[in-house]
Amino acid sequence: MFNSTAYINGKVYTMEREGAVCSAFVVRDGKFIYCGADDEARRMADETVDLRGVVVLPGLIDTHEHLYSYAGNFEKLMLGHVGSMRELKDTLREYAGGVPEGEWIYGFGFDNEFFTDTKAMPTRDDLDEVCPNNPVLLSRSCMHFFSANSLALKAAGIDRNFRPEVEGNVRFDAEGEPTGVVCDAAGARLAGLVPDKLASLEAKKDVLEKAIHELNTHGLTGAHAIQGKHVDLMEYTNAYQELNLEGRLTARIYLGYDELPNCCIRTGLGDDMVKYGFYKMYADGNFGGYSAAMLEPFSDRPDTCGQANYTQEEMTARIRAAYERNIQVAVHVIGDRAADMLTTAIETVYRENPKPDPRFRMIHMSVLNEGIIQRIKKLPIMVDIQPMFIHTDMPWIEARVGAARAPYVNPFGRLLGEGILLTGGSDAPGTPHDPWEGIYAAVTRKNLKGKPEGGWYPENCIGVYDAVCMYTKNAAYSSYEENIKGTVTAGKLADFIVLDEDVFAMDPMKIKDIQVRSTYLGGKLVYERSGE
């Protein structure tokens, strides 16, 4: 016999539809069994909790996170704070002073586009200057571009005669020598040489547990954890499963891998805590390194249109292989050429063999055009967006794509207006995984300092309800779990969060500062703010 708990006297936004509110709900055996009025909730329950008028929402879900990579960064030199090349060098020099000669140094998190003294990526010469006696690999915050010093390049066999798997993955200077700037597969080649401080399963579990508790502090009860072996972003199903068996897993995990499983499984294998989700592809690179595949040249680099990682035939074949096995497909797309190729691939495989509910996922879709949007709306496609790209990319993106294409950069409002379903994610550790910052960015189209006045291309702003939907009911739909989570509804899993402020009634400029009072997973308290 399970005890039941009534939560009364609250302002519970069920998220079933805009404006849907009740004052009470009852939880039993990890699920909501009633949502409605206080008196009925009291009558049904063994115990009662008075919410004292606070706001309740369903637990939030991040639909795009490299969770193990975020956790693994606890063991790296963190560079997210550096604001210049000089500061990066000083930080590396100081850190290297405590590292034995010959031992690898792996750093993460700098963004050269925010440097005040240069916008250039660090080269091997920059790194050799301050750290000549240790192999050094530094990952840019986007996780696609890396800087390596001479010892690291030598260890990887990257010299003037090296030919990367994908053209452009290694930069060479005018004399034909590698500059130390590499991306994607070449970066993964280097990262694979760094000794793994988290080699044991127990070490992986410990850092994942710590990272997932950090998610809980922001109101996250679910994450789509995505492997990018292509760019050294790993995930480990067994670590999540063991944490669950040991009662240490405090968020629900939906996994994506950039390789097809070598056994006969399909999307949905697992349980409510850990589940296999989708096949993840990387169609192109990113804007930061001019590796996004564009239909026309970059405005500030007219000599290049970037590059796609596959031919059209290869992309279509890979998507077909997953689709025929009933495995959900999700594809990283940044440039409009890559978006065009992906749309063509989905059109091809879906029309060859229409299935009732495939739910293709386009990830990022950073720059589009009207023709692609009109094609997408006719297909069973959702777009997984990362609203904080507004903050990270705004200072430089318009120079990269030009004024004509800029209105189609992260065009959230345009997509929503065409009836295309959007889900919300962070792409952590590339950007912070605080969903309130993401909701703020989607609603205001401003950076974290509140600029620009009026928002960046404000026609692409979306409403608060639609923004919260991206992290609740839409996120649940994207993983075929809309019948078990995503709203406060009788019969669904009792994942919910308690806030002090009403996200739907407050000044949108303050949404980014929302603090979660408590987070519940399956009716169990997994986070409570200190002092509550």
Side-chain angles (χ1 to χ4, degrees), residues 172-291:
F172 297 90
D173 61 24
E175 284 71 45
E177 296 292 340
T179 66
V181 178
V182 302
C183 69
D184 294 337
R189 178 190 183 98
L190 276 156
L193 299 175
V194 181
D196 187 1
K197 296 180 181 179
L198 302 172
S200 72
L201 181 59
E202 288 305 313
K204 290 179 174 64
K205 286 159 54 181
D206 288 344
V207 295
L208 278 170
E209 182 179 27
K210 181 179 179 181
I212 293 167
H213 279 302
E214 171 67 21
L215 299 186
N216 299 150
T217 68
H218 298 297
L220 288 160
T221 57
H224 294 194
I226 301 172
Q227 173 177 284
K229 191 174 184 180
H230 170 67
V231 286
D232 193 43
L233 300 169
M234 302 302 291
E235 292 292 345
Y236 299 92
T237 303
N238 55 342
Y240 294 110
Q241 289 174 318
E242 288 207 8
L243 285 174
N244 185 35
L245 289 171
E246 294 166 9
R248 297 164 59 191
L249 185 61
T250 57
R252 305 184 194 277
I253 306 299
Y254 189 72
L255 288 152
Y257 285 93
D258 60 340
E259 51 194 350
L260 284 170
N262 59 4
C263 56
C264 297
I265 67 172
R266 58 178 293 172
T267 289
L269 181 69
D271 56 28
D272 292 342
M273 289 300 298
V274 183
K275 189 173 294 186
Y276 173 72
F278 54 85
Y279 170 51
K280 164 74 182 289
M281 288 178 62
Y282 287 81
D284 61 348
N286 70 1
F287 281 136
Y290 298 93
S291 57

Side-chain angles (χ1 to χ4, degrees), residues 1-8 22-29 31-49 489-491:
M1 187 72 178
F2 294 98
N3 288 335
S4 55
T5 302
Y7 294 82
I8 65 167
C22 65
S23 63
F25 56 90
V26 179
V27 175
R28 184 173 64 203
D29 189 22
K31 294 183 179 181
F32 299 113
I33 63 168
Y34 172 77
C35 304
D38 291 353
D39 289 345
E40 180 64 13
R42 281 196 195 92
R43 188 189 65 77
M44 295 176 65
D46 301 301
E47 58 181 349
T48 300
V49 174
T489 303

Side-chain angles (χ1 to χ4, degrees), residues 62-66 143 224 226 280 331-334 361-366 383-393 409-412 415 422-428 430-435 437-439 441-442 445 470-471:
D62 186 322
T63 60
H64 189 91
E65 181 153 356
H66 305 286
M143 302 173 289
H224 294 194
I226 301 172
K280 164 74 182 289
V331 184
H332 161 113
V333 176
I334 299 291
R361 297 171 64 166
M362 292 180 162
I363 300 169
H364 310 313
M365 297 297 279
S366 294
V383 180
D384 298 337
I385 68 169
Q386 294 69 47
M388 276 296 286
F389 285 3
I390 298 294
H391 170 74
T392 58
D393 296 358
V409 173
N410 298 314
F412 311 146
L415 294 170
L422 306 180
T423 79
S426 63
D427 205 12
T431 59
H433 56 211
D434 184 344
E437 292 182 349
I439 292 167
R445 293 192 60 96
M470 296 193 308
Y471 293 87

